[in-house]
Amino acid sequence: MRRFGLLTGGGDCPGLNAVIWSVVRGAARAGVEIVGVVDGFEGLVGGENGLNIRTLGSADVRNIFNQGGTVLGTTNRGNPFKYVTVRDGQSQIEDRGDEVVANIAQLGLEGLIAIGGDGSLAIAHELGERGARVIGVPKTIDNDLGSTDSTFGFYTAVEVAMEALDRLRTTGESHDRVMILEVMGRYAGWIALHAGLVGGAHVVLIPEIPYDINKVLGQVRQRWHEDRRNFTLIVVAEGAFPAGGKTSLVESAGAGTNARLGGAGHQLEVELREAFTHGWDRPMVPEVRTTVLGHIQRGGSPVAYDRLISLRFGAEAVRLALAGEWGKMVCLRGTQIESVPLVDGIRKPHLVETDSQLVRHARTVGISFGD
Ligand code: F6P
């Protein structure tokens, strides 16, 4: 019987289970067995812990297509090429990539379908360079992968952020406060920009446009002149930073781990308070409150559009695997699901273009980018 491997790697996002559902059902209908790898590439490293796999049939994926998370588990650690092991209290980094390639062959897998973001797809690509057959499926709430119009999970994150802004609006208006919402996205401002537009933000700060705090202050002041209101809704991407400043980090990158971004919202609050002490000409200095939306953006069921992309990505990945078209990444182009060489997906991050129509439209309706 033909067998394909399937794994989810990196941070979870809404829609992973829909891809799994679609791959498993598509494969079963073609008489192919799916071997699910547990906890991303970690499950294929083996060694003392052994391989961590489970066969998935249609019955195993019943009713999961609308659920958040991933039934296969995931991790954003466990890069086989920089595998961290602790021996006698000392951590060491080893290259276990060849073992993974050998394990894929030993399991009798024709190839591996890897659902992941930039990190996991880079690992998949490297495994391909070392002889494994792989197909990539792009996922991430950040929407920062190249060669696809969007990734699944993104629209759910935007929906959650939009709802948060709707809620911050009513409390912020009632108290006439400046309300800051920090959203995820790493070094891309897609979530902040989309949520800011549909959530009626007055200021959107994104990593692609370093901000000037005096321009942000100017927007708050303008709100007062236009509406006699201090109420101002600000969305700040976690990767946003002031011109000449740096991205706020909770934790720097370590052995086999990425840097953890966070703190941009609180940093902005501090800068804004400081700016009010010099540059505010009204009797009442506005109060500022900050909300960090965090992992709420990643949890829960995918919205309809993310579900649709996920199900179609899964179906296309199976079609490619059945046809033996390995080394590709499925992608969205307009309304069509297509595929590109896997390396194209990871070559260059997909960032907000500062002179794009989307940014221009945001400016047209009065959103300030703090520049
Ligand atoms: O890449 C998805 C993402 O949610 C980013 O937006 C965020 O910076 C990061 O993952 C958080 O990672 P973790 O779940 O490891 O805290």
Side-chain angles (χ1 to χ4, degrees), residues 76-79 82 84 186 251-260:
N76 41 21
R77 293 167 187 252
N79 178 344
K82 291 182 188 154
V84 182
R186 291 187 69 77
E251 211 177 307
S252 309
T257 58
N258 290 326
R260 276 181 63 210

Side-chain angles (χ1 to χ4, degrees), residues 11-12 76 139-142 144 184-186 191 238 259-261 295 298:
D12 73 321
N76 41 21
K139 69 89 218 179
T140 168
I141 63 164
D142 305 336
D144 60 352
M184 284 184 165
R186 291 187 69 77
I191 299 177
E238 63 181 359
R260 276 181 63 210
L261 278 66
H295 289 81
R298 280 212 332 230

Side-chain angles (χ1 to χ4, degrees), residues 2 4 110 135 316-326:
R2 296 178 73 182
F4 303 154
E110 262 177 58
I135 285 170
E316 185 62 12
V318 166
R319 190 196 70 73
L320 289 171
L322 289 169
E325 293 188 43
W326 301 97

